[in-house]
Amino acid sequence: MFRILKVVPISLCLIFSLAFSDCFAQGLLPVQTENNSNSGSNGAPATQIPLVLKKKKPKSLRENARKSMHTRDSVFLALSRSDTSGATLLQHLQQYTTTYNQINNTLSEGLDTTDESLQLPTVNKRLSRIRTLANTRKSSTLRYLFVLRDNLDHLQDLLNGWQASLDSVNAKLISNQKEILRFQSDSLLKILPGDSTIRAAFLNKKGDVLKLWKKTDSANRKNLFKVNLIQNQISTAFTDMTDESDQIDSKIKRFAIRALGGEFDYIWKRNDQFKHIDSALQGTIALNQVQVYYFFKSEIIINVIAIAFILLIVGWILFNKYNTIRHLEQKQIVIEHTHFVYKKPLVSALLMGTTIIPCFYDHPPVFFLECLFLLNITLVLIMVRDHFPISLFRFLFALFWVTIAYCLSNLLIQITNADRYLTFGLSILSIFFGILFYRQTQKEPQGHLKYTRLTLWIFIILQVISLVLNITGRFSLAKIIGTTAVFNLWMTMALYFIIRIIIQVLYLQLHTKRVTHSFIAFVDYNSIQKKFRNILGLLASILWLVFLLENLNIDDWVHDYLVDFLGQRRFVGDSSFTYGGFVSFFLVIWVSSMLSKFISYFYDISEQHNTDLNALKKKNRVSTLLIRIGVFTIGFLLAVAASGFPLDKLTIIFSAFGVGIGFGLQNVTNNLVSGMILAFEKPIQIGDIIEVNNRMGTVKEIGIRSSKLATPEGSEVIIPNGDLISQNVVNWTLSNTNRQVEILISVAIGTEIAKVTKTLKDLLSNRNDIMTQPEPQIFLSSLTDKSIDFKVQFWAADISDYLELRSRVLVNIAESFNREGILFPKS
C-alpha cells in the first residue's frame, strides 16, 4: 500500500507535465514575456503579450517513434526509482535490446563472403581443367607438370586465404549465437516485479525484446548456414586440389625416374610415339593463354608495383644524369667513371628492372618469364656492343638466336622427336660457338671480363653433358641442363652489368651532392664502392643461384628440404634447438653489425658537414662508439628472439659468462669497460696526439676493445683500452694544439753573451710561424771551459708542424751566427 501511494504522485506529476508541455507546444496557454527593460520608453509598465508561435513542420515517423520511446523510457525510469528490482530488470532488458540491435546492424551490412561466393565456381572449373590436363597428357614434359603444380599452389594459397576469412566470420556468428541463446536461459527474466504497474511495463518491454530476439536469431542462423555451406564447398575444393597435387607429385617422381633411365632410345632410332608436334604446339598455346590470362587478372597489384619499380629506376638514373650535366664542370672525368649509365641511361634502367622484377612474383607463367628474359638479353647485347671487344659481341649475338630456340623449346608441354632433334642441334651450336670464342680470348685477352675463360669452360662442359644425355635417350635431363647452361650464362652477364650500373649511379649521386654541398659530399667514394661492391656481389651470387635452381626445376624441392632441415627441432638434454634458429641468430648479428657501421659512418659524415674540418680534429666523436654498441646490443637481443632461444635461460648464459670473466676474461672485460669509460669521460679524442708507453702518435680510432694510434713513422699501433685508462697518458692536444719547442745552442768560449742573446731575439721575433703569446724566451743554461750554453724556448701553434718549425729555426740560427761571426765550440 505504501508503495502504491508513493508511485501515484509521481505518475500524476508525469501526466500533468506531459499535458502542460503539449499545451505549450500547441500555443493554447499564454506565455508572459518581458522586454529587455522593465518599462517602456515613457516609463509605463510593459504589457503582457501572448506568445505567437510559428507553425511547426510536421514530424517524421522516425522522430515520432523516437519521441514515444524516450517518453516510455522516462516513465520506466520514474517507475524504477520506486522499485529497485524493477529497475534492474528493465536495465537488463535494455542491454539485450542494445546487443541485438548491434548484431542486426552488423548482419544488415552483409558478410564479407562476396569474393568467395563469386569466385568459387571459377576455382572449381580451374581444378576440373587441371585434372583433365593432368590425366590426358600421357607424354607431358617435366616443365608441363611443374606448370600444373604451380597453378595448384596458387589455388591453394587462394583457398587458404578464403578459409581463414570465413573462419573469422564464422567465429563472429557463433559468438552472436551464444549471445542470442543466453536470452532463453536467463533466469533473471523469469522473475516478475511485485508491483502491478511495473510488472505491466516489464512484460511490455520483454515482449518487444522477444520480437527483436526472434528477428535476430533468424538472421544470424541464416547467415551461419550460408557461411557453413561456403566453407563446406571450399573444403571440398581444397580436398580435390590436395588429391590432384599428390597425383602430380607422384607423376613428377615417376618422370624423374624415367628421365634418369631414359625416355628414348639412342638418337638414331626414331620413336613414333613422340611424333605429334602439332598437338604439342596447340596444347602449348592453349595452356599459356590460360596461364597468362589468370596471371594478369590475379596479379594486378604486383604488376603495378613492378611498373612503378622500373619507373623509379629510370627516374633515379635520369635525374642524376641531368644534375651531372647541369652542375659539374669536369664532365669528361665523370663520363669515364660512369660510361654505362651516362651513355645509355634508359637501357641501364630497363636492364636492372627486367632482371629484378621476376623476384617480385611467386611462380609466374613461363611465357611471361621468357618474354622478360628475351628483353633482358637484348639489353645486354646493346651494352656489350658499345663497351666490350667485338669478339664477345659476336659470340653473344650468335648465342642470342640459340637462346630464342631454347625458349621456344622450353615452352613445349609434350615430348616430341622434333624437340629432341632441335635440342641436339642447339647443343652442337653452343659448343661450337663457345670453343670459337674461347680461342679468340686466347688470341686477344685484353678487354674481356674477369673469369671469362672459366665461365666458358663451364658452359661448354654443361653443353657436352647435355649432348651426351640426349644421344643416350635421356632427353629431359639433356634439355634441362642445356637450357640452364644458356640461361645462366646470360644471367651472369646481366648481373655483372647491374652491379656496375648501381656503382656508377652512386658515383653520379655523390658527385652531384658535392656540388650542392650536401653532407653526402664528404662520403669517400672509394671506400663505399669497395664495401658496396662486396655486398652487391653477394646478393648477385644468391640471385644467380636462385635462377640456377629454377632452371634445373629443383627450386621447390630445395626450398622444402631446407625448410624441413632448418625447422626440425633437435634436443640436447632438456633443451631444444633448430638449425634455422642458429642461422637466424648469426644473420641478425651480421645485419646489426653492418647497420652499426653504416650508421656510425654516416654520423661521422654529418659531423663533417656541420663542423669545420680543423675543428673536427679536436671534436670528440667517440659518441659513434656508443651508437655502435647500442645498435649491436639491440641486434643481439633481436637475434636471440629470432633464434627462438628461451629468454629466461639467458640468465644461465650470463652466469656462465660471469664465471668465465672471473677466470680468464679479465683483460677482455677490462678493455670493454675501459672503452665505455673513454666514451663517457672523453680523456682522449679522435685526432688527438698522445704519448703512451713511450709511443707517440695520432688517435685514429677508438674501438670497443682497443684503439688505433698512427705514429709519425707511418706505423699503426693497436693499444688496448685498458692501457689508456691505467697508464700515464700524455695528451698533447687535450685543450689546444700548441707545443713548446726547446733548442739547446752552444757557442765558443769568449763569445759576447749580449750579442748572442740579441741575435737570437731578433731571429725569433716578428715571425708568423712562432706564437707571440707566450713570448719566446732565451736562457743562459751553463758555462764550461769550452762553451757557453743557451736554452731557447718558443711555442708552435700546431703540434703537427713543430718538427718542421724547429728545423727552420735551426737553419736560421746557423745562418745568423755565420753572418754575425759567432762561432760554435770546437770539439
Side-chain angles (χ1 to χ4, degrees):
M1 186 67 181
F2 177 76
R3 183 179 298 176
I4 295 175
L5 292 175
K6 186 177 180 181
V7 172
V8 169
I10 298 174
S11 302
L12 291 176
C13 291
L14 287 171
I15 294 171
F16 279 112
S17 65
L18 292 173
F20 276 101
S21 64
D22 290 339
C23 292
F24 280 120
Q26 297 176 10
L28 299 178
L29 293 178
V31 179
Q32 183 176 357
T33 61
E34 294 183 358
N35 293 333
N36 296 334
S37 61
N38 293 331
S39 61
S41 59
N42 55 2
T47 58
Q48 294 182 356
I49 302 174
L51 177 64
V52 180
L53 298 177
K54 294 183 180 180
K55 186 177 181 180
K56 290 188 175 182
K57 295 182 180 179
K59 296 182 178 179
S60 62
L61 295 176
R62 179 177 296 177
E63 292 176 348
N64 290 329
R66 186 181 293 111
K67 181 179 178 181
S68 299
M69 183 180 67
H70 285 296
T71 303
R72 289 197 303 270
D73 292 341
S74 300
V75 175
F76 291 154
L77 184 61
L79 292 174
S80 65
R81 291 194 186 101
S82 62
D83 193 335
T84 306
S85 62
T88 303
L89 293 174
L90 291 174
Q91 184 178 6
H92 201 55
L93 288 174
Q94 186 62 35
Q95 291 177 354
Y96 279 114
T97 303
T98 303
T99 301
Y100 295 155
N101 283 331
Q102 291 177 352
I103 294 175
N104 281 319
N105 290 335
T106 303
L107 296 178
S108 63
E109 294 176 358
L111 301 177
D112 190 15
T113 59
T114 306
D115 292 341
E116 293 84 346
S117 302
L118 295 178
Q119 297 183 28
L120 189 58
T122 305
V123 170
N124 289 326
K125 288 182 181 179
R126 290 182 65 183
L127 279 174
S128 177
R129 176 65 175 166
I130 291 173
R131 187 182 301 109
T132 302
L133 292 173
N135 294 331
T136 56
R137 304 291 182 183
K138 301 298 183 182
S139 58
S140 301
T141 62
L142 186 61
R143 169 66 66 184
Y144 177 72
L145 294 176
F146 277 117
V147 167
L148 295 180
R149 196 179 68 174
D150 289 343
N151 279 272
L152 290 175
D153 290 340
H154 286 297
L155 290 179
Q156 181 179 0
D157 294 337
L158 182 63
L159 293 178
N160 284 333
W162 288 354
Q163 194 66 46
S165 177
L166 290 175
D167 287 342
S168 176
V169 175
N170 188 62
K172 182 62 178 176
L173 292 175
I174 292 175
S175 177
N176 293 343
Q177 198 63 31
K178 290 180 180 179
E179 289 291 334
I180 294 171
L181 294 177
R182 191 164 62 89
F183 179 77
Q184 288 181 322
S185 60
D186 194 345
S187 60
L188 185 64
L189 298 180
K190 297 179 182 179
I191 302 174
L192 295 177
D195 184 81
S196 60
T197 305
I198 299 177
R199 183 168 60 251
F202 169 75
L203 293 176
N204 186 22
K205 184 73 172 178
K206 184 177 180 181
D208 293 340
V209 175
L210 183 61
K211 293 179 183 179
L212 181 61
W213 173 82
K214 291 180 179 179
K215 176 184 176 182
T216 307
D217 181 66
S218 175
N220 195 76
R221 289 178 182 273
K222 181 179 178 181
N223 284 278
L224 191 60
F225 175 77
K226 177 182 176 182
V227 171
N228 288 333
L229 182 61
I230 298 176
Q231 281 184 315
N232 290 334
Q233 294 174 352
I234 292 177
S235 298
T236 303
F238 192 87
T239 302
D240 295 340
M241 182 206 60
T242 305
D243 294 339
E244 194 60 37
S245 240
D246 293 339
Q247 292 181 8
I248 291 178
D249 288 339
S250 299
K251 287 187 176 184
I252 291 175
K253 293 179 181 178
R254 292 195 300 270
F255 187 94
I257 296 173
R258 190 173 70 250
L260 291 174
E263 308 95 334
F264 290 88
D265 206 338
Y266 289 101
I267 197 168
W268 52 83
K269 295 182 179 180
R270 183 181 179 85
N271 193 333
D272 294 335
Q273 180 184 356
F274 306 111
K275 64 180 181 179
H276 303 290
I277 185 65
D278 295 337
S279 61
L281 291 175
Q282 292 174 1
T284 299
I285 294 173
L287 180 62
N288 283 283
Q289 285 178 344
V290 173
Q291 271 197 301
V292 172
Y293 170 76
Y294 283 114
F295 171 72
F296 284 107
K297 183 179 179 180
S298 60
E299 301 288 348
I300 297 177
I301 297 178
I302 303 298
N303 293 332
V304 172
I305 293 175
I307 295 173
F309 176 73
I310 292 180
L311 294 178
L312 181 64
I313 295 176
V314 172
W316 182 40
I317 292 178
L318 293 179
F319 174 77
N320 283 285
K321 179 183 177 181
Y322 170 76
N323 283 340
T324 303
I325 297 175
R326 184 178 178 182
H327 297 292
L328 292 182
E329 297 179 356
Q330 299 178 348
K331 298 185 180 64
Q332 191 60 36
I333 299 176
V334 176
I335 293 174
E336 292 177 358
H337 286 82
T338 60
H339 50 279
F340 292 157
V341 174
Y342 199 90
K343 294 180 180 179
K344 301 223 177 303
L346 188 60
V347 173
S348 301
L350 292 177
L351 178 59
M352 186 185 303
T354 53
T355 306
I356 299 176
I357 279 177
C359 300
F360 292 1
Y361 300 95
D362 181 21
H363 293 94
V366 180
F367 179 78
F368 173 75
L369 288 177
E370 291 190 352
C371 288
L372 283 179
F373 180 71
L374 291 176
L375 176 59
N376 183 271
I377 64 177
T378 303
L379 298 171
V380 170
L381 274 179
I382 296 174
M383 285 291 198
V384 171
R385 182 187 60 186
D386 296 336
H387 303 287
F388 287 94
I390 190 64
S391 58
L392 177 60
F393 174 76
R394 289 174 180 174
F395 167 69
L396 292 178
F397 183 75
L399 194 63
F400 175 80
W401 301 104
V402 174
T403 306
I404 293 177
Y406 266 118
C407 289
L408 295 175
S409 174
N410 197 42
L411 289 174
L412 290 176
I413 63 174
Q414 287 182 267
I415 298 176
T416 61
N417 291 319
D419 190 18
R420 183 185 185 188
Y421 298 143
L422 175 63
T423 304
F424 179 78
L426 294 176
S427 297
I428 293 177
L429 289 175
S430 299
I431 295 171
F432 173 75
F433 293 143
I435 293 175
L436 186 63
F437 178 59
Y438 184 82
R439 291 179 177 177
Q440 290 176 345
T441 58
Q442 288 180 326
K443 296 178 181 178
E444 301 174 357
Q446 294 81 11
H448 293 287
L449 296 176
K450 193 177 182 180
Y451 304 119
T452 298
R453 296 181 183 178
L454 177 61
T455 305
L456 278 176
W457 267 115
I458 296 175
F459 172 76
I460 294 171
I461 291 173
L462 289 177
Q463 288 295 343
V464 170
I465 294 174
S466 174
L467 183 65
V468 173
L469 291 173
N470 199 355
I471 292 174
T472 57
R474 295 165 178 82
F475 165 67
S476 297
L477 291 178
K479 185 176 179 178
I480 290 173
I481 293 176
T483 305
T484 301
V486 173
F487 283 16
N488 277 77
L489 178 64
W490 284 107
M491 186 54 57
T492 303
M493 294 294 303
L495 292 175
Y496 165 79
F497 281 113
I498 287 177
I499 294 175
R500 300 299 302 173
I501 288 169
I502 294 176
I503 294 296
Q504 291 181 11
V505 176
L506 287 177
Y507 183 85
L508 282 180
Q509 183 85 31
L510 296 178
H511 280 73
T512 302
K513 292 300 181 180
R514 288 181 181 177
V515 177
T516 58
H517 302 290
S518 172
F519 82 95
I520 300 179
F522 294 94
V523 174
D524 185 7
Y525 171 74
N526 293 325
S527 62
I528 290 294
Q529 179 188 19
K530 182 179 179 181
K531 296 178 181 179
F532 205 61
R533 181 178 291 176
N534 294 333
I535 297 175
L536 289 177
L538 177 62
L539 295 177
S541 300
I542 296 174
L543 188 60
W544 185 88
L545 182 61
V546 170
F547 281 119
L548 175 64
L549 297 177
E550 290 180 352
N551 291 327
L552 292 174
N553 295 318
I554 59 173
D555 53 326
D556 289 331
W557 176 81
V558 172
H559 175 267
D560 295 339
Y561 176 78
L562 289 177
V563 169
D564 295 338
F565 177 77
L566 296 177
Q568 184 179 0
R569 189 160 293 277
R570 293 167 172 83
F571 295 90
V572 177
D574 295 334
S575 301
S576 62
F577 69 94
T578 61
Y579 290 135
F582 283 108
V583 173
S584 300
F585 178 83
F586 288 110
L587 183 62
V588 174
I589 289 293
W590 178 76
V591 172
S592 62
S593 176
M594 297 296 296
L595 186 61
S596 66
K597 293 179 180 179
F598 178 82
I599 294 176
S600 61
Y601 179 79
F602 278 95
Y603 176 81
D604 291 344
I605 295 300
S606 63
E607 292 296 336
Q608 293 182 23
H609 175 64
N610 296 324
T611 313
D612 181 71
L613 290 179
N614 292 327
L616 180 64
K617 294 180 180 179
K618 295 307 304 164
K619 177 178 175 59
N620 177 36
R621 295 187 295 161
V622 185
S623 53
T624 58
L625 175 63
L626 299 178
I627 295 175
R628 294 182 62 179
I629 293 176
V631 173
F632 193 80
T633 302
I634 295 174
F636 175 78
L637 296 177
L638 291 177
V640 172
S643 64
F645 191 85
L647 295 178
D648 55 349
K649 293 186 178 181
L650 282 179
T651 54
I652 302 175
I653 296 178
F654 289 148
S655 300
F657 188 66
V659 174
I661 291 174
F663 283 100
L665 300 179
Q666 299 96 331
N667 292 333
V668 176
T669 307
N670 180 30
N671 292 327
L672 292 176
V673 175
S674 298
M676 297 295 294
I677 294 175
L678 291 175
F680 285 102
E681 189 176 333
K682 306 172 185 178
I684 62 173
Q685 307 171 11
I686 301 293
D688 277 352
I689 299 176
I690 65 173
E691 186 175 349
V692 58
N693 292 335
N694 297 324
R695 290 184 177 274
M696 182 176 179
T698 304
V699 179
K700 292 297 183 182
E701 180 182 345
I702 301 177
I704 299 176
R705 188 193 64 84
S706 60
S707 299
K708 186 182 295 184
L709 195 68
T711 64
E713 295 81 9
S715 62
E716 293 184 351
V717 181
I718 308 299
I719 301 177
N721 289 335
D723 293 346
L724 297 177
I725 297 298
S726 61
Q727 300 292 330
N728 293 326
V729 179
V730 179
N731 193 337
W732 291 94
T733 56
L734 181 61
S735 58
N736 55 61
T737 60
N738 303 338
R739 169 70 187 265
Q740 187 186 63
V741 183
E742 183 178 278
I743 301 176
L744 297 178
I745 301 174
S746 298
V747 298
I749 191 69
T751 306
E752 186 178 350
I753 296 177
K755 182 178 180 181
V756 175
T757 304
K758 183 178 182 303
T759 302
L760 291 175
K761 285 184 177 181
D762 293 340
L763 178 66
L764 298 177
S765 61
N766 299 326
R767 292 179 64 109
N768 295 327
D769 51 358
I770 294 178
M771 296 178 62
T772 57
Q773 293 294 332
E775 295 181 352
Q777 293 180 335
I778 303 171
F779 302 97
L780 181 62
S781 177
S782 62
L783 294 172
T784 65
D785 56 348
K786 295 182 179 180
S787 65
I788 304 174
D789 300 330
F790 292 87
K791 180 185 293 185
V792 179
Q793 294 180 346
F794 55 90
W795 288 84
D798 193 347
I799 190 175
S800 60
D801 299 332
Y802 89 97
L803 290 176
E804 183 181 356
L805 176 60
R806 186 174 187 277
S807 175
R808 289 199 301 269
V809 172
L810 284 174
V811 171
N812 294 334
I813 290 174
E815 293 175 350
S816 299
F817 280 10
N818 186 32
R819 187 170 50 252
E820 296 294 333
I822 300 175
L823 301 177
F824 293 101
K826 296 180 180 181
S827 57

